[in-house]
Amino acid sequence: MTTIADKWNLHADHFWLRGRRPDRPVCFNTVTGMWNVYGYAEALRVIGEPRTFSSNTGRVIPERDEFSEGNLVQMDPPLHGKLRRLVSHAFTPKVVADLEPRIDAVARELLDAVGNQGRMELIGDLAYPLPVIVIAELLGVPADDRFMFKAWVDKLFSSSEQFSLTNRTEEQERRFEEITGEVRKLTAYLGEHAAERRRRPRADLLTRLVEAEVDGVRLTEAEVVNFANLLLIAGHITTTLLLGNTVLCLDAHPEQRARVRADRSLVPGAIEESLRMLSPFAVLARVNEEEVELGGARVPPEQLLMVWLSAANRDPAWFPDPDVFDPARDPNPHLAFGRGIHFCLGAPLARLEGRIALNILLDRYPGLRTDPGESPTFSPSPNMTGVTRLPLLLDD
């Protein structure tokens, strides 16, 4: 069976995308100095036990500690829970459901702009601008600045080099400096808007962060901008990759595409299955507080564990026929959005945006398919799985 990874030469070292299974669920990588966690049960344990497996990876990667203040992804309880509650109200089921008319209108407006040219580039025309407009409006920053956001964010994930704790190359050091510079541009931008909210509050998420207190103390400027930075980046990139990956999966499985087109109740399932098979954020990092036994391996304390969600999502012990794309798969307990206290805050919004956009695409373009003359482009980052450019033909 030719997989999507084989067809498009996607991440040569991600063997699980090609139907191969790891020899062990947990193993040490002597080249990177990190532990790889591939098994589903082991991944579930690591991301589900924050007291044992800390999200504060800055303790072993000090270069990344500069932007950890206020960054939910790198926080542990109890501060994590206190900060998460500050914005959780913006992602409740009711608030997200109430966004449906706006999401629908934006998606239709973007596709109207495509016109009748018979082709489109899915990411630039729809999958990127749709979620970034929505999250920018929620935060309260100009959606018209999205091209500036894209330039910054693209550079964050532009390297194909695997990070290593033991082999610190000049290229890796250069990349750290480059990434730090791009993040500083984004935090400086958000800092300007945060300062403006202190002078003139509005009814938006950025104002709520500026005015928020934790244990009676206002958030620092660094906490505000790093928190907002996470919301802006994670608030759009997941949907961008989710939508592109789902269209790619359906294109690779025309019989399932016809099935979903005929039965729209399968659209949510198609999205979930694409999240499982091509998980946008392929890996999470944790540091174990103490020596642990995990997947038959004894892991010393203070080790960096790379939890490969994309591999866990193909564990045959949990997913029968894991390399088969099945929009009706049930149950489908994939870990693409994480699990436990760090479960993706914006998952309901990403799912809604994906469902709306995919239904409109299927309604408008009965001949929707990849362009055989122009291959898709994938994110080079080994930590992500997804298309960054997807040319499509629209006519029958």
Side-chain angles (χ1 to χ4, degrees):
M1 178 178 64
T2 301
T3 66
I4 291 176
D6 289 323
K7 181 177 180 180
W8 303 114
N9 194 28
L10 174 60
H11 291 324
D13 57 340
H14 290 195
F15 56 86
W16 53 89
L17 297 179
R18 292 166 169 78
R20 301 198 298 273
R21 309 291 168 230
D23 295 330
R24 290 165 291 171
V26 178
C27 61
F28 183 69
N29 187 326
T30 56
V31 175
T32 64
M34 300 180 288
W35 291 79
N36 288 325
V37 179
Y38 298 124
Y40 184 95
E42 292 75 18
L44 194 62
R45 179 187 170 193
V46 172
I47 64 178
E49 296 183 14
R51 290 184 178 179
T52 304
F53 302 97
S54 170
S55 297
N56 178 20
T57 57
R59 59 213 278 184
V60 294
I61 315 176
E63 295 91 341
R64 298 188 178 182
D65 202 33
E66 176 180 346
F67 306 106
S68 63
E69 187 179 359
N71 186 339
L72 278 183
V73 172
Q74 296 188 38
M75 283 186 181
D76 294 323
L79 184 56
H80 170 272
K82 293 176 181 179
L83 282 182
R84 184 175 171 114
R85 283 191 291 274
L86 293 180
V87 295
S88 59
H89 73 287
F91 300 96
T92 63
K94 182 183 186 310
V95 170
V96 170
D98 288 346
L99 288 171
E100 182 163 355
R102 177 58 181 157
I103 296 169
D104 185 88
V106 172
R108 293 181 186 280
E109 180 181 331
L110 291 168
L111 289 176
D112 286 345
V114 171
N116 300 316
Q117 53 190 322
R119 60 190 305 116
M120 70 182 296
E121 194 286 290
L122 181 70
I123 307 305
D125 290 336
L126 177 66
Y128 170 73
L130 172 62
V132 84
I133 288 171
V134 173
I135 195 62
E137 290 179 351
L138 285 173
L139 270 173
V141 298
D144 288 344
D145 288 345
R146 62 183 180 272
F147 302 106
M148 190 163 55
F149 306 153
K150 191 173 191 305
W152 292 331
V153 173
D154 283 352
K155 288 183 180 178
L156 298 183
F157 303 105
S158 62
S159 175
S160 60
E161 185 179 14
Q162 178 63 61
F163 171 76
S164 173
L165 286 174
T166 56
N167 184 25
R168 303 300 297 272
T169 65
E170 289 186 10
E171 172 62 17
Q172 186 169 291
E173 299 297 335
R174 186 193 66 78
R175 279 292 301 157
F176 267 129
E177 290 301 317
E178 184 177 297
I179 290 171
T180 299
E182 295 306 315
V183 176
R184 283 175 182 155
K185 291 177 185 178
L186 188 48
T187 54
Y189 168 87
L190 291 169
E192 292 175 3
H193 283 279
E196 196 272 338
R197 291 308 185 283
R198 292 187 179 93
R199 297 189 296 268
R200 287 184 289 276
R202 301 181 193 171
D204 56 34
L205 271 179
L206 199 51
T207 298
R208 184 172 178 86
L209 290 177
V210 166
E211 295 179 342
E213 293 184 356
V214 176
D215 296 333
V217 179
R218 287 282 179 94
L219 299 183
T220 66
E221 181 179 353
E223 286 174 328
V224 170
V225 297
N226 288 335
F227 202 162
N229 185 29
L230 174 65
L231 291 172
L232 182 59
I233 294 177
H236 81 266
I237 201 167
T238 303
T239 300
T240 298
L241 296 177
L242 174 160
L243 185 54
N245 288 350
T246 302
V247 170
L248 195 66
C249 284
L250 290 173
D251 182 80
H253 302 87
E255 71 290 350
Q256 299 296 352
R257 180 179 58 198
R259 185 183 177 196
V260 172
R261 186 184 292 280
D263 182 0
R264 298 305 177 80
S265 69
L266 291 173
V267 165
I271 290 171
E272 298 305 311
E273 187 70 335
S274 80
L275 284 166
R276 183 187 70 82
M277 294 198 74
L278 297 177
S279 307
F281 287 92
V283 64
L284 297 177
R286 295 289 188 269
V287 177
N288 56 311
E289 301 273 7
E290 58 194 35
E291 183 179 65
V292 294
E293 175 134 2
L294 186 66
R298 186 159 293 280
V299 183
E302 295 294 309
Q303 299 292 300
L304 190 62
L305 293 93
M306 303 299 285
V307 185
W308 290 98
L309 304 179
S310 57
N313 285 336
R314 290 176 181 247
D315 188 332
W318 291 78
F319 302 96
D321 299 318
D323 303 311
V324 173
F325 180 79
D326 181 7
R329 183 180 293 273
D330 184 27
N332 189 356
H334 67 76
L335 302 176
F337 286 128
R339 193 65 65 87
I341 65 168
H342 284 281
F343 181 79
C344 178
L345 191 63
L349 178 58
R351 284 169 163 144
L352 178 62
E353 290 169 335
R355 176 175 62 78
I356 291 171
L358 188 57
N359 269 309
I360 296 174
L361 285 170
L362 293 173
D363 286 340
R364 288 196 177 197
Y365 309 117
L368 185 74
R369 63 197 186 281
T370 55
D371 185 346
E374 200 171 354
S375 300
T377 303
F378 291 84
S379 171
S381 171
N383 299 334
M384 302 180 70
T385 310
V387 284
T388 57
R389 190 171 185 278
L390 183 54
L392 297 174
L393 300 179
L394 307 179
D395 299 330
D396 286 325

PDB file of all heavy atoms in Angstrom, residues 28-52:
ATOM      1  N   PHE A  28      15.742   5.369  23.894  1.00  0.00           N
ATOM      2  CA  PHE A  28      16.642   6.515  23.983  1.00  0.00           C
ATOM      3  C   PHE A  28      17.319   6.747  22.645  1.00  0.00           C
ATOM      4  O   PHE A  28      17.792   5.798  22.004  1.00  0.00           O
ATOM      5  CB  PHE A  28      17.692   6.276  25.067  1.00  0.00           C
ATOM      6  CG  PHE A  28      18.620   7.439  25.273  1.00  0.00           C
ATOM      7  CD1 PHE A  28      18.159   8.623  25.834  1.00  0.00           C
ATOM      8  CD2 PHE A  28      19.954   7.352  24.894  1.00  0.00           C
ATOM      9  CE1 PHE A  28      19.014   9.699  26.023  1.00  0.00           C
ATOM     10  CE2 PHE A  28      20.819   8.419  25.077  1.00  0.00           C
ATOM     11  CZ  PHE A  28      20.345   9.605  25.646  1.00  0.00           C
ATOM     12  N   ASN A  29      17.369   8.006  22.220  1.00  0.00           N
ATOM     13  CA  ASN A  29      18.017   8.370  20.972  1.00  0.00           C
ATOM     14  C   ASN A  29      19.390   8.948  21.294  1.00  0.00           C
ATOM     15  O   ASN A  29      19.505  10.052  21.836  1.00  0.00           O
ATOM     16  CB  ASN A  29      17.176   9.402  20.212  1.00  0.00           C
ATOM     17  CG  ASN A  29      17.715   9.699  18.828  1.00  0.00           C
ATOM     18  OD1 ASN A  29      18.906   9.690  18.586  1.00  0.00           O
ATOM     19  ND2 ASN A  29      16.801   9.982  17.906  1.00  0.00           N
ATOM     20  N   THR A  30      20.434   8.192  20.979  1.00  0.00           N
ATOM     21  CA  THR A  30      21.789   8.621  21.333  1.00  0.00           C
ATOM     22  C   THR A  30      22.232   9.836  20.524  1.00  0.00           C
ATOM     23  O   THR A  30      23.118  10.585  20.952  1.00  0.00           O
ATOM     24  CB  THR A  30      22.787   7.477  21.103  1.00  0.00           C
ATOM     25  OG1 THR A  30      22.695   7.037  19.743  1.00  0.00           O
ATOM     26  CG2 THR A  30      22.504   6.314  22.030  1.00  0.00           C
ATOM     27  N   VAL A  31      21.635  10.042  19.362  1.00  0.00           N
ATOM     28  CA  VAL A  31      22.016  11.178  18.517  1.00  0.00           C
ATOM     29  C   VAL A  31      21.485  12.491  19.086  1.00  0.00           C
ATOM     30  O   VAL A  31      22.191  13.497  19.122  1.00  0.00           O
ATOM     31  CB  VAL A  31      21.507  10.979  17.075  1.00  0.00           C
ATOM     32  CG1 VAL A  31      21.798  12.214  16.223  1.00  0.00           C
ATOM     33  CG2 VAL A  31      22.133   9.736  16.453  1.00  0.00           C
ATOM     34  N   THR A  32      20.247  12.478  19.565  1.00  0.00           N
ATOM     35  CA  THR A  32      19.629  13.709  20.068  1.00  0.00           C
ATOM     36  C   THR A  32      19.749  13.860  21.578  1.00  0.00           C
ATOM     37  O   THR A  32      19.551  14.953  22.114  1.00  0.00           O
ATOM     38  CB  THR A  32      18.141  13.758  19.698  1.00  0.00           C
ATOM     39  OG1 THR A  32      17.450  12.673  20.358  1.00  0.00           O
ATOM     40  CG2 THR A  32      17.948  13.636  18.191  1.00  0.00           C
ATOM     41  N   GLY A  33      20.040  12.733  22.286  1.00  0.00           N
ATOM     42  CA  GLY A  33      20.098  12.787  23.746  1.00  0.00           C
ATOM     43  C   GLY A  33      18.724  12.852  24.388  1.00  0.00           C
ATOM     44  O   GLY A  33      18.603  13.243  25.560  1.00  0.00           O
ATOM     45  N   MET A  34      17.684  12.461  23.658  1.00  0.00           N
ATOM     46  CA  MET A  34      16.315  12.521  24.160  1.00  0.00           C
ATOM     47  C   MET A  34      15.670  11.132  24.085  1.00  0.00           C
ATOM     48  O   MET A  34      16.141  10.256  23.358  1.00  0.00           O
ATOM     49  CB  MET A  34      15.500  13.539  23.353  1.00  0.00           C
ATOM     50  CG  MET A  34      16.071  14.950  23.426  1.00  0.00           C
ATOM     51  SD  MET A  34      15.122  16.169  22.483  1.00  0.00           S
ATOM     52  CE  MET A  34      15.512  15.716  20.794  1.00  0.00           C
ATOM     53  N   TRP A  35      14.594  10.971  24.833  1.00  0.00           N
ATOM     54  CA  TRP A  35      13.832   9.728  24.829  1.00  0.00           C
ATOM     55  C   TRP A  35      12.616   9.876  23.913  1.00  0.00           C
ATOM     56  O   TRP A  35      11.868  10.840  24.029  1.00  0.00           O
ATOM     57  CB  TRP A  35      13.365   9.376  26.240  1.00  0.00           C
ATOM     58  CG  TRP A  35      14.484   8.994  27.158  1.00  0.00           C
ATOM     59  CD1 TRP A  35      15.345   9.819  27.802  1.00  0.00           C
ATOM     60  CD2 TRP A  35      14.859   7.656  27.516  1.00  0.00           C
ATOM     61  NE1 TRP A  35      16.252   9.108  28.546  1.00  0.00           N
ATOM     62  CE2 TRP A  35      15.974   7.770  28.394  1.00  0.00           C
ATOM     63  CE3 TRP A  35      14.380   6.388  27.203  1.00  0.00           C
ATOM     64  CZ2 TRP A  35      16.601   6.655  28.949  1.00  0.00           C
ATOM     65  CZ3 TRP A  35      15.001   5.280  27.761  1.00  0.00           C
ATOM     66  CH2 TRP A  35      16.097   5.411  28.610  1.00  0.00           C
ATOM     67  N   ASN A  36      12.442   8.928  23.007  1.00  0.00           N
ATOM     68  CA  ASN A  36      11.283   8.921  22.120  1.00  0.00           C
ATOM     69  C   ASN A  36      10.193   8.024  22.702  1.00  0.00           C
ATOM     70  O   ASN A  36      10.452   6.870  23.051  1.00  0.00           O
ATOM     71  CB  ASN A  36      11.658   8.417  20.729  1.00  0.00           C
ATOM     72  CG  ASN A  36      12.493   9.426  19.968  1.00  0.00           C
ATOM     73  OD1 ASN A  36      12.286  10.633  20.109  1.00  0.00           O
ATOM     74  ND2 ASN A  36      13.423   8.949  19.166  1.00  0.00           N
ATOM     75  N   VAL A  37       9.003   8.563  22.804  1.00  0.00           N
ATOM     76  CA  VAL A  37       7.843   7.815  23.288  1.00  0.00           C
ATOM     77  C   VAL A  37       6.903   7.623  22.109  1.00  0.00           C
ATOM     78  O   VAL A  37       6.362   8.586  21.568  1.00  0.00           O
ATOM     79  CB  VAL A  37       7.125   8.569  24.432  1.00  0.00           C
ATOM     80  CG1 VAL A  37       5.905   7.776  24.914  1.00  0.00           C
ATOM     81  CG2 VAL A  37       8.096   8.834  25.578  1.00  0.00           C
ATOM     82  N   TYR A  38       6.727   6.367  21.686  1.00  0.00           N
ATOM     83  CA  TYR A  38       5.929   6.052  20.504  1.00  0.00           C
ATOM     84  C   TYR A  38       4.590   5.394  20.839  1.00  0.00           C
ATOM     85  O   TYR A  38       3.626   5.539  20.094  1.00  0.00           O
ATOM     86  CB  TYR A  38       6.692   5.100  19.582  1.00  0.00           C
ATOM     87  CG  TYR A  38       7.984   5.644  19.018  1.00  0.00           C
ATOM     88  CD1 TYR A  38       9.191   4.966  19.212  1.00  0.00           C
ATOM     89  CD2 TYR A  38       8.001   6.821  18.275  1.00  0.00           C
ATOM     90  CE1 TYR A  38      10.379   5.439  18.682  1.00  0.00           C
ATOM     91  CE2 TYR A  38       9.192   7.312  17.741  1.00  0.00           C
ATOM     92  CZ  TYR A  38      10.381   6.620  17.947  1.00  0.00           C
ATOM     93  OH  TYR A  38      11.553   7.100  17.422  1.00  0.00           O
ATOM     94  N   GLY A  39       4.516   4.647  21.918  1.00  0.00           N
ATOM     95  CA  GLY A  39       3.318   3.878  22.230  1.00  0.00           C
ATOM     96  C   GLY A  39       2.180   4.734  22.740  1.00  0.00           C
ATOM     97  O   GLY A  39       2.409   5.742  23.435  1.00  0.00           O
ATOM     98  N   TYR A  40       0.965   4.332  22.432  1.00  0.00           N
ATOM     99  CA  TYR A  40      -0.210   5.097  22.846  1.00  0.00           C
ATOM    100  C   TYR A  40      -0.371   5.116  24.364  1.00  0.00           C
ATOM    101  O   TYR A  40      -0.555   6.179  24.966  1.00  0.00           O
ATOM    102  CB  TYR A  40      -1.458   4.503  22.204  1.00  0.00           C
ATOM    103  CG  TYR A  40      -2.730   5.282  22.493  1.00  0.00           C
ATOM    104  CD1 TYR A  40      -3.200   6.236  21.595  1.00  0.00           C
ATOM    105  CD2 TYR A  40      -3.479   5.051  23.658  1.00  0.00           C
ATOM    106  CE1 TYR A  40      -4.363   6.950  21.850  1.00  0.00           C
ATOM    107  CE2 TYR A  40      -4.639   5.761  23.916  1.00  0.00           C
ATOM    108  CZ  TYR A  40      -5.070   6.706  23.013  1.00  0.00           C
ATOM    109  OH  TYR A  40      -6.226   7.413  23.274  1.00  0.00           O
ATOM    110  N   ALA A  41      -0.292   3.948  25.001  1.00  0.00           N
ATOM    111  CA  ALA A  41      -0.479   3.886  26.458  1.00  0.00           C
ATOM    112  C   ALA A  41       0.594   4.701  27.170  1.00  0.00           C
ATOM    113  O   ALA A  41       0.307   5.397  28.159  1.00  0.00           O
ATOM    114  CB  ALA A  41      -0.442   2.430  26.926  1.00  0.00           C
ATOM    115  N   GLU A  42       1.820   4.641  26.661  1.00  0.00           N
ATOM    116  CA  GLU A  42       2.919   5.380  27.271  1.00  0.00           C
ATOM    117  C   GLU A  42       2.743   6.880  27.062  1.00  0.00           C
ATOM    118  O   GLU A  42       2.983   7.683  27.978  1.00  0.00           O
ATOM    119  CB  GLU A  42       4.251   4.912  26.683  1.00  0.00           C
ATOM    120  CG  GLU A  42       4.638   3.491  27.058  1.00  0.00           C
ATOM    121  CD  GLU A  42       3.852   2.420  26.321  1.00  0.00           C
ATOM    122  OE1 GLU A  42       3.239   2.738  25.263  1.00  0.00           O
ATOM    123  OE2 GLU A  42       3.832   1.259  26.787  1.00  0.00           O
ATOM    124  N   ALA A  43       2.325   7.271  25.861  1.00  0.00           N
ATOM    125  CA  ALA A  43       2.074   8.683  25.587  1.00  0.00           C
ATOM    126  C   ALA A  43       0.952   9.221  26.472  1.00  0.00           C
ATOM    127  O   ALA A  43       1.042  10.319  27.032  1.00  0.00           O
ATOM    128  CB  ALA A  43       1.718   8.879  24.113  1.00  0.00           C
ATOM    129  N   LEU A  44      -0.093   8.411  26.611  1.00  0.00           N
ATOM    130  CA  LEU A  44      -1.231   8.817  27.438  1.00  0.00           C
ATOM    131  C   LEU A  44      -0.794   9.025  28.886  1.00  0.00           C
ATOM    132  O   LEU A  44      -1.225   9.985  29.546  1.00  0.00           O
ATOM    133  CB  LEU A  44      -2.316   7.744  27.360  1.00  0.00           C
ATOM    134  CG  LEU A  44      -3.703   8.107  27.884  1.00  0.00           C
ATOM    135  CD1 LEU A  44      -4.302   9.258  27.096  1.00  0.00           C
ATOM    136  CD2 LEU A  44      -4.620   6.890  27.820  1.00  0.00           C
ATOM    137  N   ARG A  45       0.079   8.160  29.375  1.00  0.00           N
ATOM    138  CA  ARG A  45       0.557   8.317  30.749  1.00  0.00           C
ATOM    139  C   ARG A  45       1.380   9.603  30.901  1.00  0.00           C
ATOM    140  O   ARG A  45       1.178  10.368  31.845  1.00  0.00           O
ATOM    141  CB  ARG A  45       1.412   7.112  31.148  1.00  0.00           C
ATOM    142  CG  ARG A  45       1.952   7.253  32.581  1.00  0.00           C
ATOM    143  CD  ARG A  45       2.939   6.174  32.951  1.00  0.00           C
ATOM    144  NE  ARG A  45       3.579   6.506  34.231  1.00  0.00           N
ATOM    145  CZ  ARG A  45       4.644   5.898  34.703  1.00  0.00           C
ATOM    146  NH1 ARG A  45       5.202   4.906  34.034  1.00  0.00           N
ATOM    147  NH2 ARG A  45       5.164   6.279  35.852  1.00  0.00           N
ATOM    148  N   VAL A  46       2.296   9.842  29.980  1.00  0.00           N
ATOM    149  CA  VAL A  46       3.185  11.001  30.104  1.00  0.00           C
ATOM    150  C   VAL A  46       2.402  12.304  30.081  1.00  0.00           C
ATOM    151  O   VAL A  46       2.613  13.194  30.919  1.00  0.00           O
ATOM    152  CB  VAL A  46       4.254  10.990  28.991  1.00  0.00           C
ATOM    153  CG1 VAL A  46       5.052  12.291  29.011  1.00  0.00           C
ATOM    154  CG2 VAL A  46       5.183   9.799  29.152  1.00  0.00           C
ATOM    155  N   ILE A  47       1.482  12.457  29.136  1.00  0.00           N
ATOM    156  CA  ILE A  47       0.749  13.732  29.041  1.00  0.00           C
ATOM    157  C   ILE A  47      -0.374  13.817  30.072  1.00  0.00           C
ATOM    158  O   ILE A  47      -0.925  14.897  30.288  1.00  0.00           O
ATOM    159  CB  ILE A  47       0.196  13.967  27.619  1.00  0.00           C
ATOM    160  CG1 ILE A  47      -0.834  12.903  27.233  1.00  0.00           C
ATOM    161  CG2 ILE A  47       1.330  14.000  26.610  1.00  0.00           C
ATOM    162  CD1 ILE A  47      -1.444  13.135  25.855  1.00  0.00           C
ATOM    163  N   GLY A  48      -0.670  12.695  30.722  1.00  0.00           N
ATOM    164  CA  GLY A  48      -1.748  12.698  31.702  1.00  0.00           C
ATOM    165  C   GLY A  48      -1.300  12.780  33.144  1.00  0.00           C
ATOM    166  O   GLY A  48      -2.135  12.813  34.052  1.00  0.00           O
ATOM    167  N   GLU A  49       0.033  12.798  33.383  1.00  0.00           N
ATOM    168  CA  GLU A  49       0.552  12.857  34.750  1.00  0.00           C
ATOM    169  C   GLU A  49       1.494  14.056  34.913  1.00  0.00           C
ATOM    170  O   GLU A  49       2.717  13.908  34.912  1.00  0.00           O
ATOM    171  CB  GLU A  49       1.300  11.559  35.096  1.00  0.00           C
ATOM    172  CG  GLU A  49       0.413  10.323  35.110  1.00  0.00           C
ATOM    173  CD  GLU A  49       1.184   9.066  35.518  1.00  0.00           C
ATOM    174  OE1 GLU A  49       2.316   9.206  36.033  1.00  0.00           O
ATOM    175  OE2 GLU A  49       0.660   7.961  35.300  1.00  0.00           O
ATOM    176  N   PRO A  50       0.928  15.259  35.039  1.00  0.00           N
ATOM    177  CA  PRO A  50       1.779  16.464  35.095  1.00  0.00           C
ATOM    178  C   PRO A  50       2.680  16.525  36.322  1.00  0.00           C
ATOM    179  O   PRO A  50       3.705  17.221  36.296  1.00  0.00           O
ATOM    180  CB  PRO A  50       0.766  17.616  35.086  1.00  0.00           C
ATOM    181  CG  PRO A  50      -0.514  17.013  35.578  1.00  0.00           C
ATOM    182  CD  PRO A  50      -0.507  15.602  35.072  1.00  0.00           C
ATOM    183  N   ARG A  51       2.327  15.826  37.402  1.00  0.00           N
ATOM    184  CA  ARG A  51       3.189  15.856  38.591  1.00  0.00           C
ATOM    185  C   ARG A  51       4.492  15.090  38.361  1.00  0.00           C
ATOM    186  O   ARG A  51       5.522  15.402  38.945  1.00  0.00           O
ATOM    187  CB  ARG A  51       2.451  15.272  39.796  1.00  0.00           C
ATOM    188  CG  ARG A  51       1.315  16.149  40.294  1.00  0.00           C
ATOM    189  CD  ARG A  51       0.688  15.572  41.548  1.00  0.00           C
ATOM    190  NE  ARG A  51      -0.376  16.425  42.057  1.00  0.00           N
ATOM    191  CZ  ARG A  51      -1.100  16.156  43.126  1.00  0.00           C
ATOM    192  NH1 ARG A  51      -0.866  15.027  43.807  1.00  0.00           N
ATOM    193  NH2 ARG A  51      -2.059  16.969  43.525  1.00  0.00           N
ATOM    194  N   THR A  52       4.422  14.078  37.512  1.00  0.00           N
ATOM    195  CA  THR A  52       5.606  13.275  37.218  1.00  0.00           C
ATOM    196  C   THR A  52       6.342  13.774  35.978  1.00  0.00           C
ATOM    197  O   THR A  52       7.575  13.774  35.929  1.00  0.00           O
ATOM    198  CB  THR A  52       5.218  11.799  37.011  1.00  0.00           C
ATOM    199  OG1 THR A  52       4.508  11.332  38.168  1.00  0.00           O
ATOM    200  CG2 THR A  52       6.447  10.926  36.777  1.00  0.00           C
TER     201      THR A  52
END
